[in-house]
Amino acid sequence: ISGHGESRVAPDQVMISLGVTTQSQTAAQAMTDNSTRQQAVLDTLTGAGVEGADIQTSGLTLNPMMNYPENGTAPTINGYMAQNLLTVRVRDIARVGEVLDSIVTAGANEMQGIRFIREDSQATEDEALSNAVADANHRASVMATAAGLELGPIVRMGEPQQGVNGPEPVMMRAMADSGQAKSIPVEGGEVAFTADVAVTYALKGGEACAMPAPAPQETQAAAEAGAEGGAAEGAADGATETAPAN
């Protein structure tokens, strides 16, 4: 029997994936421009109170921008694109909008998304697992009762899979840059922790533990095998009785 459980809790931190993408005619210039803008973003994050341990480079790429002519001639390089991505942890959800505003102003032009998390989530995860076991027990009890049986002890129990769903709901609306000192509105909603269990129960009452009767084909085959064995035995006895005496 499978059981599913869920538990929700308000997040207390936000993970932001952001970065800077620049283009230039040469690879060196694309990287130089990117480094300048990314350093401005890093300085802004530090000024906003984000610690260095909460900032991590998650991607750094430099690729040529190819032009593929329609006439089938060889492609040419039109320039280079550099991209530097960061993953930033903001520990104060109330300041997320302010932080987003500041990094966009500093030069960040790539926003890969935000993810709400809960640092002290153990109690919520335990509750989800307990709910999963209770769900399995309820389902098994209903099935056993419907079959005229009683639910016995647990024979085996395991956790096939578990996961954490994203926050629900999450709202993030980018506002046009009009020079107004308004923060980007961000709402955390709740983080949902889920758990699944698989439980095997013993059943009591009725014929719950009886061995299944053999199939008709198996019974017929056994009878035929017995008949053949008896015939062979009778033939051997007859041969002994007719043996000539000395």
Side-chain angles (χ1 to χ4, degrees):
I1 300 295
S2 62
H4 178 78
E6 180 177 301
S7 183
R8 294 173 177 266
V9 66
D12 58 1
Q13 297 180 14
V14 179
M15 302 295 291
I16 306 174
S17 180
L18 60 97
V20 173
T21 297
T22 54
Q23 300 178 7
S24 185
Q25 291 298 313
T26 66
Q29 189 60 49
M31 288 299 296
T32 299
D33 293 344
N34 191 283
S35 298
T36 300
R37 295 180 63 172
Q38 189 72 300
Q39 187 58 54
V41 171
L42 292 171
D43 293 341
T44 299
L45 288 170
T46 301
V50 179
E51 299 181 2
D54 293 331
I55 304 173
Q56 183 179 46
T57 299
S58 56
L60 178 61
T61 59
L62 175 64
N63 296 306
M65 296 185 296
M66 307 299 296
N67 177 40
Y68 297 92
E70 295 181 358
N71 58 11
T73 58
T76 57
I77 298 177
N78 283 353
Y80 292 85
M81 177 184 295
Q83 185 179 66
N84 193 336
L85 299 178
L86 297 175
T87 300
V88 180
R89 181 194 299 265
V90 179
R91 298 180 180 273
D92 185 359
I93 290 184
R95 299 192 58 213
V96 172
E98 173 190 343
V99 172
L100 291 174
D101 281 342
S102 63
I103 59 179
V104 170
T105 301
N109 56 4
E110 288 285 343
M111 187 65 66
Q112 302 289 323
I114 60 176
R115 180 168 59 94
F116 293 90
I117 61 175
R118 179 79 182 194
E119 186 174 26
D120 54 338
S121 62
Q122 189 60 57
T124 309
E125 294 180 52
D126 292 347
E127 183 179 4
L129 190 57
S130 296
N131 291 341
V133 174
D135 180 53
N137 188 67
H138 171 72
R139 290 162 57 87
S141 179
V142 171
M143 294 173 67
T145 301
L149 303 172
E150 294 182 15
L151 199 62
I154 293 176
V155 176
R156 182 173 56 193
M157 180 167 57
E159 190 176 5
Q161 60 182 358
Q162 59 182 356
V164 181
N165 293 335
E168 300 176 2
V170 176
M171 179 183 70
M172 181 175 178
R173 301 190 303 267
M175 301 176 63
D177 184 9
S178 59
Q180 299 177 349
K182 293 183 178 180
S183 295
I184 297 175
V186 177
E187 301 207 7
E190 291 183 330
V191 179
F193 291 84
T194 63
D196 292 277
V197 296
V199 187
T200 301
Y201 296 87
L203 296 175
K204 298 185 296 183
E207 300 296 327
C209 298
M211 294 297 292
Q217 296 87 346
E218 295 177 359
T219 305
Q220 182 177 356
E224 291 175 357
E228 291 175 1
E233 239 180 81
D237 292 342
T240 303
E241 290 173 0
T242 58
N246 292 330

